[in-house]
Amino acid sequence: MTAGFTYAFDCGTGTFGSYSGSNSTSCGTTDNGTFTVRGRIRDKDGGVNTYSATVTVVNVAPTASFGVSATTVDEGGSVTLSLTSPSDPSSADMTAGFTYAFDCGTGTFGSYSGSNSTSCGTTDNGTFTVRGRIRDKDGGVNTYSATVTVVNVAPTASFGVSATTVDEGGSVTLSLTSPYDPSSADMTAGFTYAFDCGTGTFGSYSGSNSTSCGTTDNGTFTVRGRIRDKDGGVNTYSATVTVVNVAPTASFGVSATTVDEGGSVTLSLTSPSDPSSADMTAGFTYAFDCGTGTFGTPGSASSVSCTMGDAGNLTVRGKIIDKDGGETSYSNSVTVNNIAPEITEISNNGPVLTYQPVQIVVTVSSYAGDTLSYEFDCDNNGVYEVGPQSGNTGVCTFSQKGTYTVGVRVSDDDGASDTGTTEVEVKSYLLFLPLVVRNP
């Protein structure tokens, strides 16, 4: 007892360390397991007693830094999950290394492997919990998680317009073809479509990817198409369509195609039509040419009465005009028959004396628009000595008494004429001499 004792210890390796005067030692652990630890006491004469006990070393899961390359990503994009800076209190585990497993937001981990990172594709929008696990050789596991928001991406398509220029009353077809979405879930679900035919308002969404747009008036219009995915993502496309004005039509009527000078015909435009419903609602204006070669001022009256002028073949016309200035002209021929002048009276101022002028006055019925010429045959021999003249009074002089027939011919400027005669009484000129009485 006075000499004291020495001590030795076995930390579970199966081998004692050297004896020393220290009655205790610290045993580190490098791996999990169940170990027998021992201690010995020895006196100065070599007497030894050995003691033992069992120590259980519990496995500690490894740790790492969990990384997510992006916490917000467009659908169709990808994020990389990684577990870096692995650590384990067990040097044995550190030496053995670790395996890793990842969950890309499906709720299920993939198989463990030696790769400490993985790329996760996205197939639909939403908020997902992604996870990573690190595992040591003894099955110790630590799990890490993070939230990733996948943003919806609107689908795309090719916007088609069957024609960018069309006559009013025609139609164009709008279509959205080759739809695409980076989300495979959206591609599987399909898309809905809506169209604006230039009114400024979209129709209801439907499964049809095309529509036919009728046109009701001329102008330049913006037509649009929309494609929408199941999550409400929308892309809108537009194009410009020019609707060309189409002139209206009507039935052109002429009440008579043959008429006497000074007579009248009625020109009319009936049954107006326009492919534009807007033009039909607004109504039309009309203009007419009564054969002068010039249209009158357009107005709302669809007919006009034309008084025919001088004889000839005239072209009469009518035109219908819509609110946009589109017009259609129609024409027809009207034959105007000449009306020959008619002598209604021939008078004279007889009886007259020889060598005194006698005035022959002619009264004529004729078309007021004609220019008349007058001729007088004083001796009724078929030769008109007086005229032609514009005045209706002719003068003849006779040298002998008697009754004379005077011929008259009246002609219009279209070559028609009328003839007549009048009787003129001519008396002798009496010479009266003064009576001279002589005184015896």
Side-chain angles (χ1 to χ4, degrees):
M1 291 290 291
T2 300
F5 306 98
T6 55
Y7 305 88
F9 297 94
D10 170 13
C11 286
T13 63
T15 301
F16 280 94
S18 299
Y19 281 96
S20 74
S22 176
N23 68 341
S24 67
T25 191
S26 177
C27 294
T29 59
T30 59
D31 203 7
N32 61 298
T34 301
F35 301 92
T36 300
V37 293
R38 293 180 296 165
R40 281 181 176 168
I41 184 170
R42 184 179 66 176
D43 64 18
K44 65 178 179 60
D45 302 310
V48 172
N49 250 328
T50 302
Y51 301 88
S52 66
T54 300
V55 175
T56 299
V57 180
V58 180
N59 186 54
V60 175
T63 62
S65 294
F66 184 49
V68 181
S69 61
T71 57
T72 300
V73 63
D74 287 343
E75 66 182 359
S78 63
V79 295
T80 298
L81 310 182
S82 62
L83 287 162
T84 59
S85 304
S87 177
D88 195 295
S90 165
S91 58
D93 288 355
M94 289 293 289
T95 300
F98 307 97
T99 56
Y100 305 87
F102 296 94
D103 168 16
C104 286
T106 63
T108 302
F109 280 92
S111 300
Y112 281 97
S113 74
S115 176
N116 72 333
S117 66
T118 192
S119 179
C120 297
T122 59
T123 59
D124 203 8
N125 61 298
T127 300
F128 302 92
T129 298
V130 293
R131 297 182 294 169
R133 279 182 176 167
I134 182 172
R135 184 179 68 174
D136 63 20
K137 65 177 178 54
D138 304 302
V141 171
N142 247 326
T143 302
Y144 300 88
S145 66
T147 299
V148 173
T149 299
V150 180
V151 180
N152 187 52
V153 175
T156 60
S158 294
F159 185 48
V161 181
S162 62
T164 56
T165 301
V166 62
D167 287 342
E168 64 182 359
S171 63
V172 295
T173 298
L174 310 182
S175 61
L176 287 162
T177 57
S178 304
Y180 173 74
D181 196 293
S183 165
S184 58
D186 289 355
M187 288 293 287
T188 300
F191 308 98
T192 54
Y193 307 87
F195 297 94
D196 167 19
C197 287
T199 63
T201 302
F202 280 93
S204 300
Y205 280 96
S206 74
S208 177
N209 70 333
S210 67
T211 192
S212 179
C213 297
T215 59
T216 59
D217 202 8
N218 62 297
T220 300
F221 301 92
T222 298
V223 293
R224 297 181 293 168
R226 278 180 174 165
I227 180 173
R228 182 179 68 176
D229 63 21
K230 65 176 176 56
D231 305 301
V234 171
N235 248 325
T236 301
Y237 301 88
S238 65
T240 299
V241 172
T242 300
V243 181
V244 180
N245 188 52
V246 175
T249 59
S251 294
F252 184 48
V254 181
S255 61
T257 55
T258 302
V259 64
D260 289 340
E261 301 179 299
S264 64
V265 296
T266 298
L267 309 182
S268 61
L269 286 163
T270 58
S271 303
S273 177
D274 196 292
S276 164
S277 58
D279 289 355
M280 288 293 288
T281 299
F284 307 98
T285 54
Y286 305 87
F288 297 95
D289 167 18
C290 287
T292 63
T294 302
F295 279 99
T297 301
S300 59
S302 62
S303 65
V304 70
S305 179
C306 297
T307 299
M308 295 294 100
D310 206 2
N313 292 317
L314 303 180
T315 298
V316 292
R317 297 182 296 165
K319 65 180 176 181
I320 180 173
I321 308 162
D322 65 19
K323 65 176 177 58
D324 305 300
E327 62 180 51
T328 300
S329 296
Y330 301 89
S331 64
N332 206 340
S333 294
V334 173
T335 299
V336 181
N337 295 325
N338 186 52
I339 299 177
E342 180 183 356
I343 298 174
T344 58
E345 181 182 4
I346 304 174
S347 62
N348 62 76
N349 62 342
V352 296
L353 299 176
T354 55
Y355 297 103
Q356 286 185 337
V358 59
Q359 291 185 336
I360 313 299
V361 180
V362 184
T363 302
V364 177
S365 173
S366 68
Y367 166 58
D370 280 346
T371 299
L372 302 180
S373 64
Y374 299 85
E375 298 172 279
F376 300 89
D377 179 5
C378 293
D379 55 7
N380 199 31
N381 66 349
V383 177
Y384 293 88
E385 301 89 358
V386 179
Q389 64 183 43
S390 59
N392 68 334
T393 300
V395 176
C396 295
T397 302
F398 300 96
S399 61
Q400 297 182 10
K401 71 174 182 177
T403 298
Y404 295 89
T405 299
V406 177
V408 176
R409 182 167 65 189
V410 181
S411 303
D412 64 19
D413 49 7
D414 300 305
S417 63
D418 192 19
T419 59
T421 60
T422 184
E423 301 295 323
V424 177
E425 182 181 356
V426 179
K427 296 184 177 181
S428 295
Y429 183 86
L430 297 179
L431 180 62
F432 294 96
L433 297 175
L435 179 61
V436 179
V437 179
R438 292 185 173 190
N439 293 325

